[in-house]
């Protein structure tokens, strides 16, 4: 009998730099229909998936685990719904303490030694959210480290959601017979649930995991991993036994998968603030009536002019001295790989699936290069004064703040970049503008090496998943899209191999109608198939398959 943590289903709509979506990731699901009621999910583990594992390469014990996953599929999906129904919004704090306790409960259930750790004030002054740490000692020779994030982004456009974002509604979404709609479904509760299902099934069938497991789950990924950064640096001894890190994996919208090696771009996040008090003009103590603009200067207009001075008219090129210094040229192998991917790449379909009108470049090769290896200086949000939608209300704001994530590449340094931005703002005549660093997640270049890489490749082959085989299992990779705090475990202060391999699919990260595929279709596995692949990776790694 499973232990479930009691939850109050809370349906909230709140307003809100993490990893980017795949270049062709689906975000807008079109018309979701055929809502499934709580009285009966009626789910099929295989859905309409047209590929299947080669059972001749699966041990009897692992086959028994597969059967357990099928037999408990609806139970696993209901657990997934319960997790989605618990908000965990790190930017507002909504549900964070409850979520940390819930995650601890998952690993208590597995018989691990689990605890919630408060981290206190972090490097740039903000309070960090709790970190969950668990250790599952099975007396085995190998120890895997598993990373989770349990926090999610806010709901910024509640009117665009087809269903309440914290309900976990299951609907038909062609070509998939069933998907689950909800905040955190794909980023990242879906993939975490898949691995949890696999661990539960293994434990239920065999009584123990095939290796020792260390789990670290953070509640600050959407806030630049500020709490995890402090926790790991102050508690390195807790990770001393880890041989490799297991980061999961997924399929693209075409069904392809592959090995990830923990590589990531860098990302630094800042806020810029213009105020009448610092400027010495305009409102000084607070907002005033907008009618006063006839005779009073506006910090808001000054802020807009400051932003225009550091970015080009299209918002794509930073006008900051030294911003593009130190970028390493792509290797010949990477260029060749991008050109190969560009052949037959459907730009219109990729834009449509992502929910954008078009990309910056209309050339497939240039687009893929920019999407995976480009730099960006984004305007994530701006606020001040009258923030109410509709109607009127004359306000002359006394201060205005904009937030920005800056994506950078090896061998650049995030703090050096923001210092260059501030120096440029000062040179442009806006010395009064204040800058606050929210967080920095440095880049990492990874290798595809170690036994876990071989275990992952073999699992994908067993499940007949189209995937790219690395040219060399020892070649260093350039970073490719997105960021995550892999540098803490594969660079500094800990340095072990990081490998991800898996299947399953979802979309809409940070967007409306975020979803995860429950019943797969075509070349894409649903949640049950993804859990079986995760179990196979573990059994391959442990030498038990």
């Amino acid at each position: 009998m499973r232990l479930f943590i009691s939850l109050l289903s809370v349906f909230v709509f709140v307003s809100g730099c993490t990893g980017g979506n795949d270049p062709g990731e689906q975000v807008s699901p079109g018309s979701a229909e055929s809502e499934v009621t709580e009285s009966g999910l009626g789910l099929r583990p295989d859905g309409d998936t047209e590929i299947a594992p080669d059972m001749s390469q699966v041990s009897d014990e692992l086959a028994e685990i597969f059967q357990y996953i099928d037999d408990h599929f609806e139970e696993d999906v209901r657990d997934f719904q319960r997790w989605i129904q618990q908000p965990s919004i790190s930017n507002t704090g909504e549900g964070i303490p409850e979520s940390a306790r819930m995650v601890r409960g998952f690993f208590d259930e597995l018989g691990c030694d689990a605890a919630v750790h408060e981290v206190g004030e972090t490097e740039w002054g903000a309070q960090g959210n709790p970190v969950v740490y668990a250790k599952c000692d099975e007396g085995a020779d190998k120890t895997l480290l598993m990373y989770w994030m349990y926090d999610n982004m806010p709901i910024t456009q509640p009117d665009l959601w087809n269903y309440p974002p914290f309900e976990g509604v299951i609907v038909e979404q062609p070509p998939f017979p069933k998907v689950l709609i909800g905040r955190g479904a794909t980023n990242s509760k879906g993939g975490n649930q898949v691995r949890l299902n696999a661990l539960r099934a293994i434990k239920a069938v065999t009584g123990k995991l095939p290796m020792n497991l260390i789990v670290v789950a953070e509640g600050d990924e959407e806030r630049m991993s500020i709490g995890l950064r402090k926790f790991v640096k102050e508690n390195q001894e807790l990770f001393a036994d880890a041989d490799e890190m297991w980061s999961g994996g997924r399929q693209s919208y075409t069904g392809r998968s592959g090995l990830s090696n923990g590589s990531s771009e860098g990302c630094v996040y800042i806020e810029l603030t213009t105020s009448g008090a610092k400027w010495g003009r305009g409102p000084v103590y607070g907002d005033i009536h907008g009618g006063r603009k006839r005779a009073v200067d506006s910090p808001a207009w000054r802020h807009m002019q400051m932003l225009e001075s550091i970015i080009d008219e299209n918002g794509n090129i930073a006008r900051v001295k030294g911003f593009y210094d130190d970028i390493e040229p792509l290797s010949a192998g990477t260029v060749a790989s991008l050109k190969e991917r560009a052949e037959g790449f459907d730009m219109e379909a990729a834009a449509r699936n992502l929910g954008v009108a078009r990309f910056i470049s209309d050339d497939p090769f240039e687009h893929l290069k920019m999407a995976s290896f480009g730099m960006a200086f984004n305007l994530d949000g701006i606020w001040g004064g009258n923030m109410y939608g509709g109607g009127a209300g004359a306000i002359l704001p006394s201060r205005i703040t904009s937030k920005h994530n800056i994506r950078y590449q090896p061998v650049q340094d995030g703090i050096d970049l923001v210092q260059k931005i501030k120096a440029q703002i000062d040179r442009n005549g806006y010395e009064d503008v204040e800058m606050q660093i929210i967080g920095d997640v440095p880049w990492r270049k990874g290798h595809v090496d170690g036994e876990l890489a071989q275990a992952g490749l073999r699992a994908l082959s067993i499940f007949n998943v189209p995937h790219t085989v690395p040219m060399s299992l020892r070649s260093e990779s350039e970073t490719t899209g997105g960021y995550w705090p892999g540098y803490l475990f594969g660079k500094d202060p800990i340095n072990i191999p990081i490998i991800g391999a898996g299947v399953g699919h979802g979309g809409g990260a940070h967007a409306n109608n975020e979803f995860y595929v429950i019943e797969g279709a075509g070349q894409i596995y649903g949640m049950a198939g993804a859990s079986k692949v995760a179990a196979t990776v573990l059994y391959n790694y442990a030498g038990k398959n």
Side-chain angles (χ1 to χ4, degrees):
M1 180 69 179
R2 291 192 178 174
L3 301 177
F4 294 132
I5 297 181
S6 298
L7 297 174
L8 175 64
S9 298
V10 183
F11 307 136
V12 298
F13 297 85
V14 295
S15 308
C17 162
T18 70
N21 298 332
D22 293 338
E25 180 185 356
Q26 181 176 349
V27 171
S28 301
S31 60
E33 55 185 353
S34 302
E35 181 178 349
V36 178
T37 64
E38 274 291 310
S39 58
L41 298 179
L43 300 178
R44 301 168 298 154
D46 295 331
D48 293 337
T49 305
E50 297 170 359
I51 55 175
D54 179 357
M55 296 303 292
S56 69
Q57 298 186 58
V58 175
S59 69
D60 290 343
E61 185 171 286
L62 188 54
E64 189 177 351
I65 291 166
F66 287 2
Q67 188 60 54
Y68 184 93
I69 290 171
D70 283 346
D71 292 344
H72 293 80
F73 182 43
E74 289 206 1
E75 197 172 345
D76 288 339
V77 174
R78 287 191 185 278
D79 274 4
F80 185 28
Q81 287 180 306
R82 290 184 178 94
W83 198 7
I84 295 295
Q85 289 164 1
Q86 173 58 63
S88 50
I89 309 300
S90 53
N91 281 279
T92 66
E94 177 74 36
I96 288 294
E98 298 86 349
S99 295
R101 292 194 294 269
M102 189 176 189
V103 170
R104 182 197 65 198
F106 294 157
F107 296 99
D108 282 341
E109 177 192 336
L110 284 174
C112 307
D113 184 9
V116 176
H117 296 263
E118 300 293 340
V119 299
E121 184 175 317
T122 62
E123 187 172 348
W124 288 287
Q127 290 289 317
N129 286 328
V131 170
V132 181
Y133 176 89
K135 189 167 186 178
C136 318
D137 189 351
E138 301 288 5
D141 295 331
K142 296 178 180 178
T143 300
L144 270 187
L145 170 62
M146 184 170 71
Y147 165 84
W148 274 15
M149 56 175 280
Y150 66 82
D151 65 311
N152 305 117
M153 284 291 288
I155 308 302
T156 55
Q157 296 177 305
D159 56 316
L160 295 183
W161 284 77
N162 294 332
Y163 298 93
F166 297 110
E167 188 171 345
V169 171
I170 298 173
V171 301
E172 178 185 359
Q173 183 174 295
F176 305 111
K178 299 289 185 295
V179 305
L180 184 145
I181 305 286
R183 175 54 84 224
T186 192
N187 184 26
S188 296
K189 292 179 179 178
N192 291 343
Q193 183 73 51
V194 159
R195 289 187 282 169
L196 180 61
N197 295 343
L199 294 168
R200 285 170 163 173
I202 292 169
K203 191 87 172 185
V205 170
T206 70
K208 63 187 302 184
L209 303 178
M211 73 285 296
N212 307 320
L213 184 69
I214 296 173
V215 181
V216 61
E218 66 162 319
D220 275 319
E221 202 277 345
E222 305 293 5
R223 298 200 306 159
M224 310 300 293
S225 299
I226 55 175
L228 181 68
R229 179 181 175 116
K230 180 180 180 183
F231 178 81
V232 173
K233 289 186 174 184
E234 292 181 352
N235 298 279
Q236 297 177 45
E237 72 282 357
L238 295 179
F239 305 92
D241 295 335
D243 298 306
E244 301 190 51
M245 174 180 264
W246 182 37
S247 64
R250 57 179 293 172
Q251 291 170 278
S252 71
Y253 69 101
T254 64
R256 293 192 65 82
S257 187
L259 292 185
S260 62
N261 60 11
S263 292
S264 63
E265 65 185 350
C267 183
V268 62
Y269 209 114
I270 60 173
E271 288 183 355
L272 298 172
T273 299
T274 300
S275 67
K278 289 288 185 179
W279 183 23
R281 302 181 71 93
V284 174
Y285 301 107
D287 300 345
I288 64 175
H289 196 291
R292 298 294 183 179
K293 180 63 192 77
R294 291 170 296 192
V296 178
D297 290 310
S298 168
W301 282 121
R302 177 173 174 79
H303 194 84
M304 308 305 276
Q305 292 161 358
M306 177 274 297
L307 292 178
E308 186 179 13
S309 77
I310 57 173
I311 199 76
D312 77 341
E313 61 274 10
N314 294 318
N316 298 327
I317 300 175
R319 293 169 169 163
V320 175
K321 183 179 180 180
F323 189 80
Y324 298 99
D325 288 354
D326 305 320
I327 297 178
E328 296 179 331
L330 297 180
S331 68
T334 297
V335 171
S337 176
L338 287 171
K339 288 182 176 179
E340 181 180 353
R341 288 176 58 197
E343 294 179 6
F345 186 84
D346 191 331
M347 294 286 287
E348 291 186 5
R352 182 170 59 252
N353 288 333
L354 189 58
V356 301
R358 61 188 298 173
F359 296 108
I360 295 173
S361 174
D362 293 324
D363 177 78
F365 170 75
E366 289 298 325
H367 163 67
L368 291 172
K369 185 171 69 171
M370 294 169 71
S372 294
F373 303 107
M375 289 185 68
F377 188 167
N378 190 48
L379 173 59
D380 296 80
I382 189 165
W383 65 93
N386 186 343
M387 298 295 293
Y388 298 98
I395 292 291
L396 176 50
S398 61
R399 60 188 289 121
I400 184 167
T401 298
S402 56
K403 56 173 64 176
H404 308 267
N405 80 78
I406 295 98
R407 308 291 176 127
Y408 61 93
Q409 297 294 329
V411 289
Q412 294 179 306
D413 179 270
I415 303 305
D416 174 64
L417 279 175
V418 299
Q419 290 172 345
K420 289 175 177 175
I421 292 169
K422 185 63 172 80
Q424 187 68 57
I425 290 172
D426 291 350
R427 280 194 298 272
N428 294 348
Y430 300 97
E431 297 91 339
D432 54 287
V433 172
E434 299 173 272
M435 174 184 285
Q436 172 67 41
I437 298 175
I438 304 302
D440 179 43
V441 178
W443 52 269
R444 176 183 186 265
K445 288 172 116 177
H447 293 86
V448 181
D449 59 1
E451 295 179 53
L452 189 59
Q454 300 286 1
L457 281 174
R458 183 161 177 252
L460 294 177
S461 296
I462 289 171
F463 277 76
N464 292 299
V465 177
H467 62 278
T468 301
V469 178
M471 295 176 63
S472 170
L473 293 182
R474 281 297 308 173
S475 62
E476 189 173 65
S477 169
E478 277 119 350
T479 60
T480 173
Y483 84 79
W484 73 291
Y487 76 98
L488 290 171
F489 307 103
K491 181 180 176 184
D492 178 42
I494 300 163
N495 195 357
I496 58 176
I498 300 175
I499 294 296
V503 301
H505 182 70
H510 292 209
N512 54 78
N513 298 310
E514 184 176 354
F515 71 94
Y516 191 84
V517 174
I518 300 299
E519 289 188 4
Q523 302 295 302
I524 295 178
Y525 282 102
M527 178 166 276
S531 296
K532 294 174 187 177
V533 170
T536 304
V537 171
L538 294 179
Y539 261 60
N540 290 347
Y541 179 68
K544 299 191 65 167
N545 184 46

